[in-house]
Amino acid sequence: MGDHQYWLPVSSRVESRKIRHAFRGKRWEGHSAGTSVCGVRCAMAEPNELDWFQAPTCRVCTDVLIVEQDVARHGEGSE
């Protein structure tokens, strides 16, 4: 599979605390904002260790990536 994603604890307009969202690409390259896999527009900044520890993982990003992985796997075995 050639698709890549990375996780980053970020601020969003929806939550008062940081949330660890998934983003398309191999790694964060210093962008000031981005749209997560689940479609949330987020302000992006270099996270510290506490951000990684405290930010919960976005369940919707996780679910989207699981579905994409299942589709890719079943597609490989179809005739």
Side-chain angles (χ1 to χ4, degrees):
M1 268 183 262
D3 294 49
H4 295 281
Q5 64 278 331
Y6 61 92
W7 294 86
L8 191 69
V10 295
S11 299
S12 74
R13 295 178 190 171
V14 183
E15 294 280 338
S16 59
R17 62 183 175 175
K18 291 191 176 188
I19 303 291
R20 192 177 314 127
H21 282 283
F23 297 88
R24 304 289 178 187
K26 290 186 178 183
R27 69 182 70 78
W28 179 60
E29 297 182 354
H31 305 293
S32 62
T35 302
S36 67
V37 167
C38 69
V40 175
R41 186 76 176 155
C42 303
M44 303 168 99
E46 185 73 38
N48 61 41
E49 288 184 38
L50 196 55
D51 292 335
W52 284 104
F53 178 74
Q54 291 181 332
T57 301
C58 174
R59 182 67 186 167
V60 179
C61 282
T62 301
D63 291 344
V64 168
L65 294 173
I66 288 171
V67 168
E68 288 177 0
Q69 186 177 39
D70 286 346
V71 168
R73 283 187 178 157
H74 289 112
E76 290 175 354
S78 41
E79 300 172 19

